[in-house]
Amino acid sequence: MEEFREREKRKKKATEVGTYSVPFNLLEIENNINITTINKLSKKELNKKASKLYKQGNFIEAAKYYKYIIDQGSKEHNVFYNFGITLKKLNKPEEALIYLNQAIKIKGDYAKYYSSLGEILKDLGKLKKAEIIIRKSLRLNPQNYNDHRNLGSIL
């Protein structure tokens, strides 16, 4: 009888299930969150998140955030610029031109906006337009060596 009880205890112990917590990398989880969760964030938080994703090299997710901000009616020049640059990184230069031009319409005195636009135009082989835009950038910021280099390669 004692032997029977011992065997039953061993069987029961062998079939017990334990629960263990498994640590997850929070960044991996955040980067896999569906874009529908972004509607809970403020515009400032969305922009910060998009910028963080861009800096991490996650251009696809960053683009989703920037596009969402624009679709919500944002008229902030930096959002249009950042979205344009993100599209450039995603190898969508024609789309990038649209958003960079929009940033310039809103805030036309930022040399870096013209510089980025001119660089994309140069890459697309639209050299005359690129020259005009880069010269505009140089009028705003004559010390930009990158613009001088791009202008030299165009000429």
Side-chain angles (χ1 to χ4, degrees):
M1 187 68 146
E2 192 68 37
E3 204 174 301
F4 176 75
R5 284 189 201 141
E6 250 343 279
R7 255 188 278 145
E8 288 300 311
K9 274 186 185 178
R10 278 186 266 153
K11 280 184 187 177
K12 187 176 181 181
K13 197 169 194 166
T15 59
E16 286 181 9
V17 177
T19 304
Y20 304 96
S21 62
V22 178
F24 289 101
N25 182 341
L26 190 56
L27 280 177
E28 287 178 20
I29 293 170
E30 279 183 326
N31 287 339
N32 289 324
I33 292 174
N34 191 320
I35 200 72
T36 57
T37 61
I38 68 174
N39 61 4
K40 296 175 185 171
L41 302 173
S42 70
K43 281 185 185 180
K44 185 177 179 180
E45 290 170 322
L46 289 168
N47 203 5
K48 190 175 178 180
K49 178 71 175 172
S51 178
K52 183 178 178 181
L53 289 165
Y54 179 90
K55 288 175 186 170
Q56 292 171 345
N58 192 344
F59 304 122
I60 293 171
E61 288 299 311
K64 288 179 186 177
Y65 277 80
Y66 287 128
K67 180 74 169 113
Y68 180 83
I69 296 166
I70 291 168
D71 289 346
Q72 296 305 304
S74 177
K75 300 293 182 210
E76 295 177 44
H77 58 94
N78 63 319
V79 174
F80 284 93
Y81 173 77
N82 291 337
F83 187 43
I85 296 303
T86 304
L87 289 169
K88 179 185 175 199
K89 290 284 190 181
L90 291 171
N91 201 26
K92 297 181 178 188
E94 295 290 343
E95 289 178 54
L97 291 175
I98 295 166
Y99 292 95
L100 291 174
N101 276 311
Q102 187 62 35
I104 289 170
K105 282 182 187 175
I106 298 167
K107 185 78 170 162
D109 60 350
Y110 272 26
K112 76 175 185 175
Y113 292 6
Y114 289 99
S115 181
S116 296
L117 181 64
E119 194 170 310
I120 292 172
L121 288 167
K122 181 181 81 86
D123 293 345
L124 289 172
K126 300 177 181 184
L127 300 182
K128 191 63 184 164
K129 286 182 181 179
E131 178 186 350
I132 293 166
I133 296 297
I134 289 172
R135 286 185 187 277
K136 172 71 175 176
S137 177
L138 284 168
R139 280 193 296 278
L140 293 169
N141 181 10
Q143 289 81 31
N144 187 331
Y145 75 91
N146 194 42
D147 283 344
H148 286 286
R149 188 185 72 226
N150 279 330
L151 184 59
S153 71
I154 289 169
L155 297 173

